[in-house]
Amino acid sequence: MKKTLSILSLSLLFSLAQVFAISCTVDDDDESVNNLLDEVTGDVKSDEEELAAALEYLNAVRKNPSAYSKEIGVDLSAVAPLHELKWNDTLAKVAHAKAEDMVARGYFGHVDPDGYGMNIKINEAGYALPESWCGKSNNNFESLAAGYPTGEATVIQLINDGGADNENAGHRRHLLGIDSFWANCYDIGIGVAHGGKYGTYWCFLVAKHDF
């Protein structure tokens, strides 16, 4: 059964004080999910190939969201097409480190056991963010998933994000740039790690340097 493990309210320190939320998705042997994974899982690929496949699939959905409504299982006809995301090595290194950390320390969430969110880690890695975005626990650019064996299957579940009944749909809004804050993000890094409770951990960072 797919569960939404946590919803992290994210407060940006700017005049409008907008709040965003991104949840975490995990697969727990639901039959319908397994059937979907069977459909999109082909030959075993290397992690590098899976990361590339995840980016390619995500960009295809962003280019023509409505065409993927049936495949993803949620109506995307109202989602505006957007530009392709470009691979960023710095974000990819941070995403990989986060995935590995979740495996090593046995947690699954946007804030690590020491209380740090991803904004400060992104900034410290050299992908500059405004100082006001870098509070200890702040996270505005991360979507997480666990338990899905392929990049494409992971993107499908992140965008499905609980289906039409999920009013928050933080993953979908983040990855497809549905909200204005994320619509002008151009950079992406994806990390994957193996082991731990769920077998495979994914971290997607779609970010921008400033408004």
Side-chain angles (χ1 to χ4, degrees), residues 94-108:
V94 178
H96 178 72
K98 174 61 179 286
E100 291 282 6
D101 190 53
M102 288 191 291
V103 171
R105 295 204 280 174
Y107 72 98
F108 181 68

Side-chain angles (χ1 to χ4, degrees), residues 17-209:
Q18 299 181 42
V19 177
F20 305 101
I22 302 178
S23 59
C24 304
T25 296
V26 62
D27 167 36
D28 273 351
D29 297 328
D30 180 82
E31 183 178 356
S32 63
V33 172
N34 287 335
N35 289 340
L36 174 62
L37 297 183
D38 288 341
E39 292 177 6
V40 299
T41 303
D43 296 333
V44 175
K45 297 183 176 69
S46 68
D47 283 349
E48 291 77 12
E49 290 173 320
E50 289 297 350
L51 295 174
L55 177 57
E56 181 179 5
Y57 187 80
L58 176 56
N59 275 332
V61 178
R62 285 169 63 92
K63 183 178 180 180
N64 188 4
S66 62
Y68 289 85
S69 295
K70 182 177 180 180
E71 185 171 320
I72 292 175
V74 65
D75 184 7
L76 300 175
S77 61
V79 179
L82 275 183
H83 53 268
E84 288 190 350
L85 295 168
K86 302 297 183 183
W87 187 263
N88 182 280
D89 285 337
T90 300
L91 292 178
K93 289 176 182 178
V94 178
H96 178 72
K98 174 61 179 286
E100 291 282 6
D101 190 53
M102 288 191 291
V103 171
R105 295 204 280 174
Y107 72 98
F108 181 68
H110 295 298
V111 179
D112 71 18
D114 301 317
Y116 288 95
M118 290 305 287
N119 285 18
I120 193 168
K121 296 181 180 182
I122 291 169
N123 188 63
E124 289 178 347
Y127 187 94
L129 298 177
E131 183 178 355
S132 62
W133 294 4
C134 295
K136 182 177 179 180
S137 63
N138 284 14
N139 167 54
N140 298 107
F141 301 116
E142 178 183 67
S143 285
L144 298 175
Y148 303 105
T150 71
E152 185 174 318
T154 302
V155 172
I156 287 173
Q157 288 304 313
L158 286 170
I159 295 176
N160 178 280
D161 207 11
D165 294 333
N166 183 5
E167 294 181 0
N168 171 55
H171 291 135
R172 190 185 314 146
R173 289 162 39 219
H174 175 224
L175 296 179
L176 298 184
I178 294 173
D179 292 341
S180 60
F181 179 77
W182 290 304
N184 64 345
C185 290
Y186 282 83
D187 299 326
I188 185 171
I190 309 171
V192 61
H194 305 282
K197 179 179 180 180
Y198 299 113
T200 307
Y201 291 72
W202 297 84
C203 176
F204 287 68
L205 297 176
V206 178
K208 60 183 178 182
H209 292 287

